[in-house]
Amino acid sequence: MATLWDHGGVTSTWVEPSNTATALLLLGRGSDPATERGVECPGDLPAPSDPDLVARAAAAKAELGDRVFVLGHHYQRDEVIQFADVTGDSFKLAREAAARPDAEYIVFCGVHFMAESADILTSDAQKVILPDLAAGCSMADMAVLSQVETAWDVLTELGVAADTVPVTYMNSSADIKGFVGRNGGVVCTSSNAKRALDWAYQQGSKVLFLPDQHLGRNTAVLEMGFSLDDCVLYDPHKPNGGLTPEQLRDARMILWRGHCSVHGRFTLDSVNDVRERVPGVNVLVHPECRHEVVTAADQVGSTEYIIKTIEAAPAGSAWAVGTELNLVRRLALAHPDKQIMFLDKAVCYCSTMNRIDLPHLVWALEELVAGRVVNQITVDADTAHHARVALDQMLALPGA
């Protein structure tokens, strides 16, 4: 622990985080309660080479009938998506789960924070199951509660926390959503980030935007008329976020140093290269991409926006899409009359989302058939209450 700047009577402390637990998780062992990812998956999985996996999944799902409701995120593998009752983005799926109160089991083929949101929005009688507890989100893991509380202490000591509204992206842990709810903030999605920020700036003069710096910056600058100088980047691994008291006092948008490991891979070179290779190509990217990529693209939008744009595009048109590869491949197969390609030359799956595979799904379903609930995701009552406050505030936004 170290004492950081002492400026005008304001002091702060900072603790260097340990990487041990994260390293164990990457090795498939151990757990880290300070992250949203979870622990290793117990049980004996079927072999990936088992030729009966599809039949086994279908049989288990049929035996469970209406007792089970399977959700599949757009970034999931095709082998898993085929068994989903509903596909969509994270918030759509959580709401779909809440709309099925008669389903005893919600099997969420996505990542940990998504299953947490489903648990928050569903009834206590329903059980939310994540087929692989190690399916997490690197972006969500970049903002853990202890770090955010330290940052809030810094803002409090500077005398600006009272005029700062925390806004968290849906891609965050239940702990972070709970923190935001306790401190008068709101959750947002990539579709309604501007509406959420408009509301936040009616409550205060500053926003602490968690955990994706790119969505926050792109929304503030490209949709709200902010300048890049209005934004500062808070790095939780540096004393006071690597910022001076003056920078924190003057900033309108305090961006958390987090990003999506998939969307962050796309570069301006990727855009320039595809334009050279494919004359007339339309570049369509997700707002989690870097600012220079978003400004160079033809269109920017959420996962659902990307899907609808491709569906509505004329036959013969060419599209370079900057989002997760499973979705881009699925769009290309669904629209053979259009030229649809991945924006970058490098393969770019979401590695943690990809952990949900057919063996894990079969195992989870067959365990339910046997009367054993595995990998249940639960959010404690206090955290769930305050997270629900922040989610309800999002649902109350104009146009929501």
Side-chain angles (χ1 to χ4, degrees), residues 151-302:
W152 198 253
D153 287 343
V154 170
L155 298 178
T156 299
E157 290 164 354
L158 282 173
V160 298
D163 204 33
T164 301
V165 180
V167 177
T168 190
Y169 189 21
M170 180 64 68
N171 298 26
S172 58
S173 70
D175 282 343
I176 299 302
K177 293 184 179 76
F179 170 89
V180 169
R182 282 192 297 272
N183 289 281
V186 66
V187 176
C188 75
T189 68
S190 54
S191 299
N192 68 14
K194 182 181 183 299
R195 292 201 300 274
L197 288 175
D198 284 339
W199 174 86
Y201 283 109
Q202 293 171 9
Q203 320 306 312
S205 64
K206 296 178 183 292
V207 162
L208 172 64
F209 193 90
L210 305 155
D212 181 25
Q213 59 170 302
H214 299 305
L215 177 62
R217 182 183 296 107
N218 290 330
T219 305
V221 174
L222 300 179
E223 296 190 54
M224 301 180 69
F226 283 31
S227 72
L228 289 173
D229 291 337
D230 291 323
C231 308
V232 295
L233 188 61
Y234 188 99
D235 187 341
H237 301 293
K238 291 183 178 179
N240 303 305
L243 299 167
T244 66
E246 290 79 10
Q247 286 175 309
L248 286 167
R249 288 191 182 105
D250 293 343
R252 298 179 67 190
M253 171 73 84
I254 303 170
L255 301 166
W256 194 261
R257 192 178 183 90
H259 66 275
C260 171
S261 59
V262 171
H263 294 108
R265 288 176 58 94
F266 300 114
T267 65
L268 184 58
D269 287 342
S270 304
V271 178
N272 293 335
D273 177 72
V274 78
R275 291 199 191 281
E276 290 179 5
R277 290 187 290 109
V278 186
V281 69
N282 299 280
V283 177
L284 173 61
V285 303
H286 195 281
E288 291 175 19
C289 291
R290 303 180 192 190
H291 186 67
E292 61 268 24
V293 172
V294 168
T295 54
D298 298 299
Q299 295 191 52
V300 184
S302 66

Side-chain angles (χ1 to χ4, degrees), residues 28 59 84 141 145 147 150 158 192 239 245 249 251 286-287 378 386:
D141 281 349
L145 183 58
Q147 295 173 330
T150 297
L158 282 173
N192 68 14
R249 288 191 182 105
H286 195 281
T378 57
H386 289 102

Side-chain angles (χ1 to χ4, degrees), residues 94-144:
R95 293 184 76 176
E96 287 284 352
R100 301 296 195 284
D102 295 332
E104 184 179 352
Y105 306 119
I106 306 294
V107 177
F108 208 125
C109 297
V111 295
H112 198 271
F113 78 80
M114 301 179 187
E116 285 184 329
S117 295
D119 183 60
I120 291 166
L121 293 175
T122 52
S123 72
D124 292 341
Q126 295 175 286
K127 297 176 175 61
V128 178
I129 292 139
L130 186 66
D132 186 350
L133 287 178
C137 171
S138 59
M139 180 200 295
D141 281 349
M142 291 175 191
V144 297

Side-chain angles (χ1 to χ4, degrees), residues 322-378:
T323 193
E324 206 274 342
L325 184 56
N326 274 314
L327 175 59
V328 178
R329 290 179 62 251
R330 196 171 297 127
L331 288 171
L333 290 172
H335 301 279
D337 60 329
K338 302 159 193 175
Q339 187 180 359
I340 299 170
M341 66 208 76
F342 193 57
L343 176 57
D344 195 19
K345 289 182 178 179
V347 172
C348 193
Y349 291 105
C350 177
S351 59
T352 49
M353 187 85 71
N354 233 33
R355 291 186 70 101
I356 306 290
D357 56 13
L358 195 50
H360 281 89
L361 178 60
V362 168
W363 171 73
L365 291 174
E366 289 183 342
E367 289 293 295
L368 291 178
V369 169
R372 295 184 290 268
V373 177
V374 295
N375 292 6
Q376 183 178 355
I377 302 300
T378 57

